[in-house]
Amino acid sequence: WDVHHGNGVVAILADEPNVRYCSLHEVDNFPGTGNDPSDRGPRGTILNVPLPKECTTEAYLAALREALPFLLDPAPDVLLVSAGFDGLAADPLAKMNLAPEDFGACVDLILGDFGFPRERVALGLEGGYDLDAATGMPAAVAATCRALAR
């Protein structure tokens, strides 16, 4: 999850037949790619999910819920999450409306609703520029970690 399309990851993985990639990102944000959901890459292993500006928690979680079967069937050896926290409502680089606890809800979807094993999930920090300890990236990272530890 990140508000920016993972165009670099797509460039690296587009021809890799054994890796699937999904980008949930804000439409028309930097770098301006990934806005065509029908573009599945040359091997059908790419899923672009452009989300509207002002995207709500409900819409974001629904998009993730819809994307997870693409990523998890067949079950991968590992699920790597490029965890950007720039979808927070007060982030200066985007216009999404997520709250810190929404990122914990994303983890809950992966581990709980879809039953993916926690020991096979890895998250890498991507971004997040609202640094308020209570409502910004630090709180979102903490919510994510709490969900991983449940």
Side-chain angles (χ1 to χ4, degrees):
W1 47 76
D2 193 277
V3 299
H4 303 103
H5 178 247
N7 62 316
V9 177
V10 168
I12 293 166
L13 298 178
D15 286 319
E16 175 54 56
N18 298 315
V19 177
R20 290 181 179 212
Y21 174 74
C22 174
S23 179
L24 278 74
H25 54 275
E26 184 180 80
V27 69
D28 295 330
N29 201 322
F30 181 83
T33 55
N35 293 323
D36 180 3
S38 68
D39 181 2
R40 302 297 294 267
R43 296 187 178 266
T45 56
I46 305 297
L47 180 61
N48 291 306
V49 184
L51 298 167
K53 295 181 185 315
E54 309 297 332
C55 183
T56 64
T57 298
E58 295 77 20
Y60 194 90
L61 292 174
L64 179 59
R65 188 175 291 109
E66 197 170 305
L68 283 171
F70 170 81
L71 293 171
L72 302 179
D73 186 22
D77 294 330
V78 67
L79 180 66
L80 301 175
V81 178
S82 298
F85 298 96
D86 41 7
L88 289 163
D91 194 280
L93 297 183
K95 304 242 182 296
M96 297 188 88
N97 283 322
L98 302 180
E101 59 273 10
D102 297 336
F103 295 95
C106 290
V107 172
D108 290 340
L109 266 177
I110 294 166
L111 301 181
D113 294 20
F114 282 84
F116 196 76
R118 131 184 16 267
E119 63 274 6
R120 291 173 35 201
V121 176
L123 288 87
L125 182 61
E126 280 284 320
Y129 308 95
D130 173 8
L131 302 180
D132 184 275
T135 61
M137 191 217 3
V141 170
T144 301
C145 291
R146 280 192 302 276
L148 282 168
R150 287 197 261 272

